[in-house]
Amino acid sequence: MNGQTPMGLAAAAAAAVRPCRRRLLSSATAAAATVATATPLFPRCPHPHHHPHGRRLPFLASAASQQSGQTASPTTPIPSDPRAAVSGNLPFFDRVLFPDTFPVETPPAAASAAVAADEEVASALKAREETETEREAWRLLRRAVVSYCGAPVGTVAAEDPECTETLNYDQVFIRDFVPSALAFLMRGETEIVRNFLLHTLQLQSWEKTVDCYSPGQGLMPASFKIRAVPLDDNNEAFEEVLDPDFGESAIGRVAPVDSGLWWIILLRAYCKITGDYALQERVDVQTGIKLILSLCLSDGFDMFPTLLVTDGSCMIDRRMGIHGHPLEIQALFYSALRCSREMLVMNDGSKNLLRAINNRLSALSFHIREYYWVDMKKINEIYRYKTEEYSHDATNKFNIYPEQIPSWLVDWIPEKGGYLIGNLQPAHMDFRFFSLGNLWAITSSLTTPKQAEGILSLIEEKWDDLIANMPLKICYPAMEDDEWRIITGSDPKNTPWSYHNGGSWPTLLWQFTLACIKMGRPELARRAIAVAEEKLAADKWPEYYDTRSGRFIGKQSRSYQTWTIAGFLTSKMLVENPELASILTCDEDLELLEGCACCLSKKRARCSRRAAKSHVVE
């Protein structure tokens, strides 16, 4: 941090980035002059010339070279297509995940071979022409792009020309933009992602407040909107400003917990695919990461390593009984911690934070693997639980009553496979299957390899329940009757098998594809993509589907939903270029589990590290 305080950095950032001002001029010459004299929107901050986390690889340096205006070395072939950036003769995971083991400069013979490999990959990519559905999807995705100061900064949530009520669908949401960003990155269009990352960073709450109607320090907004504000009461001049929403305008007025986590995950993906590691080393970016982590790792009254949140603080942004420690937030939290550990610059100011990250990672992984996992064996254990146990050696640590096992689960849980439950609190287990949390747990290696295989086995076994006519159920099963009335407050939008209450969300397709690729099951992803491709374009790319089997378009679903479109495109590109999955996935880290800090007793026999190793051996 170089001795600077967050407030000092905030002042510096505010001085560097100001509202975009443009005067409405009729003269094209005057307009050109205005653009010519404009100052750079994001001045580059000083940063070290070396990368502390590994040297930049030649085939990942194309975007960084373009950003800095440098010319590639004759011995360093730089592919024009980022999809070819991770192609080559070296083993993929060694090349991408362990860059320090390979030289920066490529020998002439290897360079010639790399060029030939790049040409072969490029010709293979061009061999398959895009389908009509893909072409339409790209046209719609580009139509959803919004610009700020003449540069693209994101995509609106939905661009439905037939809908007159925009509500907040005309805003750029952080979580919604992630699949759009990935689609653009894999297409080689990186500018919009870089702009998005830096602009949302400037919107981050930097001031520590005690006002209950103000965002806390480090909070990222849920969304932002570009507004044109008259300048000095002059109708001929205006300035563009970014208007963030931290939840004060949202339904229920709940602050978004997941926005900062998604921002960190996307930052890592951008740097890995472009090689632009200088971006993550910038002082303002490093400060933004630290503020998010400080907010998430702050001390509280909670006894568990999981992140305590309110209901409606994630993708399921309405009252659905997921307050406390919902799986979705824990999986994203774990992934963001893993990504941050890679990106934080090691110095005296970050040592304590990195130590806190490692401690939380080890405790969180053990907690989720041990207490959130259910399969036929675990259900039998819960069925025979003793209650009111008081000791460090208690088996039923959360005082779960066997009567909580729902009747639907008894017949639904397969003999082979399992999943992570939706929530765990004292005397309460939410046995619903939540798709995003389970899929992201696979992607980030929050689960053991055996558990990850079990989740995909369960999805395959329960295909008609979780995929059916449209992938993918956001949760299963739906709440009905009195349970729906009590828990949702009789929410008319979350009626049974609709919206967040058991609705089918096509945007989850890209995360399903990512999990399948990581576990070597791409055929499952292709099967789900084929189901979606058959209907999405004809149904005008809806936000979600209703009914138990996902046959009907959601009754309040928006058409031309951007993250539906982007999720489909991202899924298609991932199955065609599975090596690109590494920009989002994390592998099992046994050294991390070595320092397991979560066992309250001194017995290490049930340590997560040993359990993980046993699963790897199996």
Side-chain angles (χ1 to χ4, degrees):
M1 298 296 293
N2 301 326
Q4 298 187 53
T5 64
M7 290 299 296
L9 290 171
V17 180
R18 306 180 186 277
C20 176
R21 292 190 174 129
R22 288 187 176 182
R23 186 173 299 276
L24 294 174
L25 301 175
S26 57
S27 170
T29 304
T34 302
V35 174
T37 58
T39 57
L41 184 61
F42 294 117
R44 296 187 66 85
C45 297
H47 59 81
H49 293 289
H50 66 278
H51 184 237
H53 311 298
R55 293 168 290 181
R56 185 179 306 159
L57 294 179
F59 44 74
L60 289 178
S62 58
S65 299
Q66 293 171 4
Q67 292 284 349
S68 61
Q70 298 175 357
T71 304
S73 169
T75 60
T76 306
I78 297 179
S80 59
D81 191 338
R83 292 173 295 182
V86 288
S87 63
N89 298 325
L90 298 173
F92 169 68
F93 287 105
D94 289 343
R95 288 186 286 109
V96 177
L97 301 180
F98 306 105
D100 275 330
T101 59
F102 299 101
V104 174
E105 298 298 332
T106 306
S112 302
V115 170
D118 290 339
E119 292 176 352
E120 182 179 352
V121 171
S123 61
L125 291 172
K126 295 178 181 178
R128 190 193 72 84
E129 293 186 3
E130 292 180 339
T131 64
E132 182 59 35
T133 301
E134 291 174 84
R135 285 193 290 270
E136 180 190 6
W138 275 112
R139 179 180 62 81
L140 294 172
L141 182 59
R142 297 188 192 287
R143 189 179 73 178
V145 171
V146 294
S147 296
Y148 174 66
C149 299
V153 293
T155 52
V156 293
E159 183 69 29
D160 186 358
E162 300 175 1
C163 185
T164 56
E165 289 184 324
T166 58
L167 298 178
N168 60 351
Y169 284 85
D170 61 344
Q171 298 187 24
V172 180
F173 284 80
I174 288 186
R175 77 171 68 97
D176 291 36
F177 180 68
V178 171
S180 297
L182 297 176
F184 285 124
L185 284 175
M186 290 188 284
R187 188 115 169 152
E189 302 173 26
T190 61
E191 178 192 5
I192 185 173
V193 183
R194 180 184 173 89
N195 292 341
F196 172 85
L197 290 167
L198 291 173
H199 277 299
T200 49
L201 178 64
Q202 305 306 320
L203 298 177
Q204 184 183 32
S205 177
W206 288 57
E207 297 181 4
K208 189 172 184 178
T209 64
V210 293
D211 184 354
C212 62
Y213 292 105
S214 299
Q217 187 180 30
L219 185 68
M220 280 287 190
S223 62
F224 65 86
K225 185 174 183 178
I226 300 172
R227 299 186 184 276
V229 180
L231 188 62
D232 300 328
D233 298 326
N234 186 348
N235 292 330
E236 293 185 356
F238 67 95
E239 63 176 354
E240 289 182 342
V241 297
L242 297 179
D243 184 13
D245 178 13
F246 289 91
E248 63 267 34
S249 300
I251 294 174
R253 303 302 188 266
V254 178
V257 176
D258 61 345
S259 291
L261 307 179
W262 278 121
W263 185 86
I264 291 175
I265 293 169
L266 181 59
L267 173 65
R268 173 183 180 254
Y270 168 83
C271 294
K272 284 178 72 70
I273 201 170
T274 64
D276 185 14
Y277 292 107
L279 178 68
Q280 71 186 34
E281 295 169 2
R282 286 175 41 154
V283 175
D284 54 346
V285 174
Q286 288 285 308
T287 303
I289 296 173
K290 292 176 181 179
L291 287 175
I292 295 172
L293 295 178
S294 297
L295 181 64
C296 295
L297 295 171
S298 59
D299 294 331
F301 291 98
D302 201 19
M303 292 287 291
F304 310 134
T306 42
L307 190 59
L308 181 64
V309 299
T310 56
D311 212 346
S313 61
C314 54
M315 177 179 175
I316 300 180
D317 55 9
R318 295 165 78 99
R319 181 177 171 185
M320 274 286 289
I322 59 169
H323 57 279
H325 309 89
L327 176 64
E328 175 179 325
I329 289 296
Q330 313 316 319
L332 292 174
F333 181 36
Y334 184 83
S335 182
L337 291 176
R338 291 285 305 265
C339 295
S340 298
R341 194 175 62 155
E342 290 183 22
M343 295 187 293
L344 282 174
V345 175
M346 176 65 77
N347 53 41
D348 292 338
S350 62
K351 286 182 179 178
N352 290 335
L353 182 58
L354 287 169
R355 188 180 300 111
I357 290 174
N358 286 329
N359 289 339
R360 181 60 69 92
L361 281 170
S362 61
L364 182 60
S365 61
F366 177 87
H367 188 84
I368 297 297
R369 293 175 176 192
E370 184 73 13
Y371 302 120
Y372 276 63
W373 177 257
V374 293
D375 53 15
M376 194 62 173
K377 178 182 178 182
K378 188 63 176 289
I379 295 297
N380 269 287
E381 291 178 7
I382 297 173
Y383 183 74
R384 295 172 55 83
Y385 265 170
K386 295 179 181 179
T387 58
E388 314 302 327
E389 292 183 296
Y390 179 81
S391 71
H392 289 300
D393 299 326
T395 301
N396 187 2
K397 289 183 172 59
F398 298 93
N399 201 36
I400 303 300
Y401 296 95
E403 288 76 14
Q404 288 188 30
I405 300 176
S407 57
W408 65 265
L409 182 61
V410 176
D411 297 323
W412 192 75
I413 190 78
E415 291 291 336
K416 183 180 179 181
Y419 66 101
L420 299 174
I421 61 173
N423 209 336
L424 174 66
Q425 300 183 72
H428 172 71
M429 294 184 79
D430 187 346
F431 286 97
R432 286 176 292 174
F433 176 91
F434 286 86
S435 295
L436 191 148
N438 275 276
L439 295 176
W440 211 255
I442 295 175
T443 300
S444 63
S445 289
L446 177 56
T447 59
T448 66
K450 186 175 181 179
Q451 288 173 344
E453 292 172 1
I455 293 171
L456 291 184
S457 295
L458 179 136
I459 294 176
E460 185 177 22
E461 178 73 20
K462 299 298 177 181
W463 190 270
D464 291 339
D465 291 328
L466 302 175
I467 306 293
N469 292 283
M470 179 54 63
L472 190 67
K473 276 278 177 287
I474 192 170
C475 68
Y476 182 92
M479 293 184 292
E480 301 180 281
D481 303 323
D482 288 341
E483 185 184 25
W484 165 75
R485 282 187 285 271
I486 294 171
I487 293 181
T488 73
S490 299
D491 188 343
K493 196 168 185 178
N494 273 332
T495 53
W497 305 109
S498 178
Y499 202 45
H500 298 309
N501 190 13
S504 297
W505 292 70
T507 188
L508 293 171
L509 184 62
W510 74 268
Q511 295 171 79
F512 178 61
T513 302
L514 195 62
C516 290
I517 291 174
K518 183 175 186 292
M519 298 308 300
R521 300 289 304 277
E523 72 283 354
L524 281 181
R526 293 191 185 95
R527 182 180 170 190
I529 292 171
V531 172
E533 190 167 11
E534 186 179 350
K535 297 181 61 179
L536 285 178
D539 293 341
K540 299 181 180 179
W541 307 92
E543 181 181 10
Y544 63 93
Y545 285 76
D546 283 352
T547 73
R548 190 184 189 105
S549 60
R551 293 188 63 191
F552 292 171
I553 298 173
K555 54 189 173 186
Q556 296 189 45
S557 174
R558 290 294 172 122
S559 297
Y560 304 105
Q561 186 78 13
T562 303
W563 70 349
T564 297
I565 297 165
F568 167 75
L569 289 172
T570 300
S571 300
K572 293 284 286 189
M573 286 189 282
L574 282 173
V575 294
E576 291 171 9
N577 306 278
E579 64 276 5
L580 292 177
S582 70
I583 67 175
L584 290 162
T585 58
C586 297
D587 286 341
E588 177 75 294
D589 188 345
L590 294 178
E591 291 185 4
L592 173 67
L593 300 174
E594 179 81 39
C596 180
C598 61
C599 288
L600 298 179
S601 66
K602 296 181 179 180
K603 295 181 178 180
R604 307 298 294 178
R606 301 180 66 188
C607 179
S608 177
R609 170 177 169 265
R610 297 191 180 185
K613 281 190 173 181
S614 66
H615 285 301
V616 171
V617 172
E618 292 177 3

